[in-house]
């Protein structure tokens, strides 16, 4: 059944909630398999929420095997813009696809900060990912200083508009945006529901300008930044919050599974 979007169509019919775990530089291949097996035991057949785990590159293959026959999808944490070539230490979209990877996190604030990734580079990666049928999870968000100086919406606007430059309407629904205020990542300091919803609604209005309202209504916007089972229900109940990108709480099966259950309860 195709659901035509109209202002009255409930968001849950247009956008399945998505919970993605960003394991960052944690877990050996063996540890990753243990964790994913625990997750699979509880939510491996969950179809009401889309679940994605993003282990480090070195664990992608072993985790892909452990996910076979489950509904859980595999994501990577980064990729290079080029399909192949003399780029020592890098990984291409084609290599990720060959390991059954469906998603790739791009423009995470740690990559912007520690590896000096610019909006222009992130944009090239987004286009390269889409060309290889990888769904990019494009991270945007302001620093504390930017929030305190009132620049939040301007910063997010630049990151969204530059990051998605050249993306076609047809491919835009494969993009996921993650709003991650930098001051909330790994700090235990979560955005209030009002702060998060305000930025999410703003991002959706930008997406509407870029791709038209029906397409914007289909694009998922995740919240990321110290999301935990205790604060997730309120955040996930917001109109424009379609799931979470989870760092710390995705490293333990119990908290990750509880976040999936929180998303299922608000669907
Ligand atoms: C992240 O790094 O994407 C993240 C949201 O981390 P944490 O949940 O630990 O704040």
């Amino acid at each position: 059944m195709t659901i035509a979007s109209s202002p009255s169509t409930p968001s849950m019919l247009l956008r399945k909630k998505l919970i993605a775990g960003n394991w960052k530089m944690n877990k050996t291949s063996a540890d990753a398999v243990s964790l994913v097996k625990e997750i699979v035991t509880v939510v491996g057949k969950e179809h009401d929420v889309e679940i994605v785990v993003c282990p480090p590159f070195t664990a992608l293959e072993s985790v892909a095997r452990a996910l076979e026959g489950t509904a859980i999808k595999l994501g990577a944490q980064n990729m290079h813009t080029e399909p192949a070539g003399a780029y020592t230490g890098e990984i291409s979209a084609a290599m990720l696809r060959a390991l059954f990877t469906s998603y790739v996190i791009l423009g995470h604030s740690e990559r912007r900060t520690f590896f000096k990734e610019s909006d222009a580079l992130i944009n090239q990666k987004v286009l390269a990912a889409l060309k290889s049928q990888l769904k990019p999870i494009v991270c945007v968000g302001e620093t504390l200083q930017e929030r305190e100086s009132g620049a939040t919406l301007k910063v997010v606007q630049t990151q969204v508009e530059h990051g998605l430059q050249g993306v076609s309407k047809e491919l835009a629904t494969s993009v996921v945006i993650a709003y991650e205020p930098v001051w909330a990542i790994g700090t235990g300091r979560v955005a209030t529901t009002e702060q998060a919803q305000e930025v999410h609604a703003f991002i959706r209005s930008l997406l509407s300008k870029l791709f038209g309202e029906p397409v914007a209504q289909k694009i998922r916007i995740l919240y990321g930044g110290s999301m935990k089972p205790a604060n997730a229900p309120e955040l996930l109940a917001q109109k424009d919050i379609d799931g979470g990108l989870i760092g710390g709480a995705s490293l333990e099966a119990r908290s990750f599974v509880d976040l999936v259950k929180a998303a299922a309860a608000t669907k």
Side-chain angles (χ1 to χ4, degrees):
M1 180 176 64
T2 317
I3 299 159
S5 60
S6 79
S8 56
T9 309
S11 62
M12 68 215 186
L13 293 180
L14 295 166
R15 310 187 293 271
K16 191 191 261 199
K17 286 262 190 310
L18 195 166
I19 296 291
N22 173 13
W23 296 0
K24 310 194 184 190
M25 196 174 70
N26 293 294
K27 308 284 177 193
T28 62
S29 177
D31 292 341
V33 170
S34 306
L35 172 56
V36 91
K37 280 186 175 164
E38 278 188 75
I39 295 169
V40 163
T41 308
V42 193
V43 290
K45 301 279 179 217
E46 171 66 62
H47 288 279
D48 289 337
V49 175
E50 192 167 5
I51 307 170
V52 180
V53 292
C54 305
F57 290 136
T58 47
L60 282 173
E61 187 160 12
S62 57
V63 169
R65 266 198 229 104
L67 290 179
E68 260 176 54
T70 78
I72 301 177
K73 308 219 171 87
L74 187 62
Q77 301 172 19
N78 183 31
M79 53 168 260
H80 194 265
T81 54
E82 295 302 316
Y87 301 99
T88 303
E90 292 294 325
I91 307 276
S92 73
M95 292 168 177
L96 297 177
R97 289 294 293 149
L99 294 177
F100 307 102
T101 306
S102 310
Y103 284 87
V104 60
I105 299 171
L106 296 175
H108 191 279
S109 73
E110 287 150 17
R111 296 222 52 95
R112 291 178 188 264
T113 305
F114 303 133
F115 302 95
K116 306 286 172 252
E117 291 199 6
S118 64
D119 286 329
L121 177 67
I122 293 158
N123 177 240
Q124 283 185 307
K125 291 186 179 191
V126 168
L127 297 177
L130 289 169
K131 203 169 164 190
S132 291
Q133 288 88 49
L134 269 178
K135 295 179 179 177
I137 300 176
V138 184
C139 302
V140 298
E142 80 288 1
T143 62
L144 187 57
Q145 198 194 358
E146 288 163 343
R147 175 159 284 272
E148 286 175 345
S149 69
T152 297
L153 299 185
K154 186 77 219 135
V155 168
V156 167
Q157 177 168 6
T158 303
Q159 291 174 339
V160 170
E161 288 178 351
H162 290 202
L164 300 187
Q165 213 156 34
V167 172
S168 68
K169 257 190 194 183
E170 291 65 37
L171 290 180
T173 49
S174 294
V175 173
V176 175
I177 305 286
Y179 169 56
E180 301 207 304
V182 179
W183 47 271
I185 296 177
T187 58
R189 187 176 163 190
V190 68
T192 65
T193 49
E194 293 75 22
Q195 285 172 327
Q197 169 57 26
E198 182 199 14
V199 180
H200 280 238
F202 175 68
I203 293 172
R204 199 168 312 284
S205 74
L206 293 174
L207 296 172
S208 177
K209 279 191 204 126
L210 290 174
F211 305 114
E213 185 59 13
V215 171
Q217 284 297 332
K218 290 184 187 153
I219 299 177
R220 276 139 348 147
I221 309 173
L222 312 183
Y223 170 79
S226 297
M227 197 188 249
K228 304 270 182 301
N231 57 37
E234 216 190 319
L235 284 162
L236 293 170
Q238 301 305 305
K239 183 168 158 280
D240 290 292
I241 301 186
D242 306 313
L245 179 56
I246 322 293
S250 71
L251 295 172
E252 299 280 341
R254 197 182 176 140
S255 44
F256 187 67
V257 159
D258 283 350
L259 284 162
V260 172
K261 289 182 180 165
T266 58
K267 70 184 158 55

